Coordinates of all heavy atoms in Angstrom, one line a residue:
R935 N 77.4 57.5 -74.6 CA 77.2 56.4 -75.5 C 76.9 57.0 -76.9 O 77.5 56.6 -77.9 CB 76.2 55.4 -75.0 CG 75.9 54.3 -76.0 CD 75.0 53.4 -75.3 NE 74.9 52.2 -76.1 CZ 73.8 51.7 -76.6 NH1 72.6 52.2 -76.4 NH2 73.8 50.5 -77.3
A938 N 79.9 58.7 -78.6 CA 80.8 57.6 -79.1 C 80.4 57.1 -80.4 O 81.2 56.9 -81.4 CB 81.0 56.6 -78.0
I939 N 79.1 56.7 -80.5 CA 78.7 56.2 -81.8 C 78.7 57.2 -82.9 O 79.1 57.0 -84.0 CB 77.2 55.7 -81.6 CG1 77.2 54.5 -80.6 CG2 76.6 55.3 -83.0 CD1 75.9 54.0 -80.2
Q942 N 82.2 58.1 -83.8 CA 83.0 56.9 -84.1 C 84.4 57.0 -83.4 O 85.5 56.8 -83.9 CB 83.2 56.8 -85.6 CG 82.0 56.3 -86.4 CD 81.6 55.0 -86.0 OE1 82.3 54.0 -86.1 NE2 80.4 54.8 -85.3
S943 N 84.4 57.3 -82.1 CA 85.5 57.5 -81.3 C 85.2 57.2 -79.9 O 84.0 57.4 -79.5 CB 86.1 58.9 -81.4 OG 87.2 59.1 -80.6
R944 N 86.1 56.8 -79.0 CA 85.9 56.6 -77.6 C 85.5 57.8 -76.9 O 86.1 58.8 -77.1 CB 87.1 55.9 -76.9 CG 86.9 55.5 -75.5 CD 88.2 54.8 -75.0 NE 88.3 53.6 -75.5 CZ 87.8 52.4 -75.0 NH1 87.0 52.6 -73.9 NH2 87.9 51.3 -75.4
F1012 N 83.0 54.4 -73.5 CA 82.2 53.8 -74.6 C 83.0 53.7 -75.8 O 83.6 54.7 -76.2 CB 80.9 54.5 -74.8 CG 79.9 54.4 -73.7 CD1 79.8 55.3 -72.6 CD2 79.0 53.3 -73.7 CE1 78.9 55.2 -71.6 CE2 78.0 53.2 -72.6 CZ 78.0 54.2 -71.6
S1013 N 83.0 52.6 -76.5 CA 83.8 52.4 -77.7 C 82.9 53.0 -78.9 O 81.8 53.4 -78.6 CB 83.9 50.9 -78.0 OG 82.7 50.2 -78.3
S1014 N 83.5 53.1 -80.1 CA 82.8 53.7 -81.2 C 81.5 52.9 -81.5 O 80.7 53.4 -82.3 CB 83.8 53.7 -82.4 OG 84.2 52.4 -82.7
R1015 N 81.4 51.7 -81.0 CA 80.1 50.9 -81.3 C 79.2 51.1 -80.2 O 78.0 50.5 -80.2 CB 80.5 49.4 -81.5 CG 81.4 49.2 -82.7 CD 81.7 47.8 -82.9 NE 80.6 46.9 -82.8 CZ 80.7 45.6 -82.4 NH1 82.0 45.1 -82.1 NH2 79.7 44.9 -82.3
G1016 N 79.4 52.0 -79.2 CA 78.5 52.2 -78.1 C 78.6 51.2 -77.0 O 77.7 51.1 -76.2
L1017 N 79.6 50.4 -77.0 CA 79.7 49.3 -75.9 C 80.6 49.9 -74.8 O 81.6 50.5 -75.0 CB 80.3 48.1 -76.5 CG 79.5 47.4 -77.6 CD1 80.3 46.3 -78.2 CD2 78.1 47.0 -77.1
P1018 N 80.2 49.6 -73.6 CA 81.1 50.1 -72.4 C 82.2 49.2 -72.3 O 82.1 48.0 -72.0 CB 80.1 50.0 -71.2 CG 79.0 49.1 -71.7 CD 78.9 49.1 -73.1
K1019 N 83.4 49.8 -72.6 CA 84.6 49.0 -72.5 C 85.7 49.6 -71.6 O 85.9 50.8 -71.7 CB 85.2 48.9 -73.9 CG 84.5 48.1 -75.0 CD 84.6 46.6 -74.7 CE 83.8 45.9 -75.8 NZ 83.8 44.5 -75.5
S1057 N 75.7 45.7 -73.0 CA 75.4 46.2 -74.3 C 75.4 47.7 -74.4 O 75.3 48.2 -75.5 CB 74.0 45.6 -74.7 OG 73.0 46.3 -74.0
G1058 N 75.6 48.4 -73.2 CA 75.6 49.8 -73.2 C 74.2 50.5 -72.9 O 74.2 51.7 -72.8

Side-chain angles (χ1 to χ4, degrees):
R935 182 175 188 233
I939 294 168
Q942 288 296 295
S943 176
R944 183 176 287 275
F1012 291 91
S1013 71
S1014 61
R1015 294 179 48 205
L1017 300 173
K1019 295 286 185 181
S1057 67

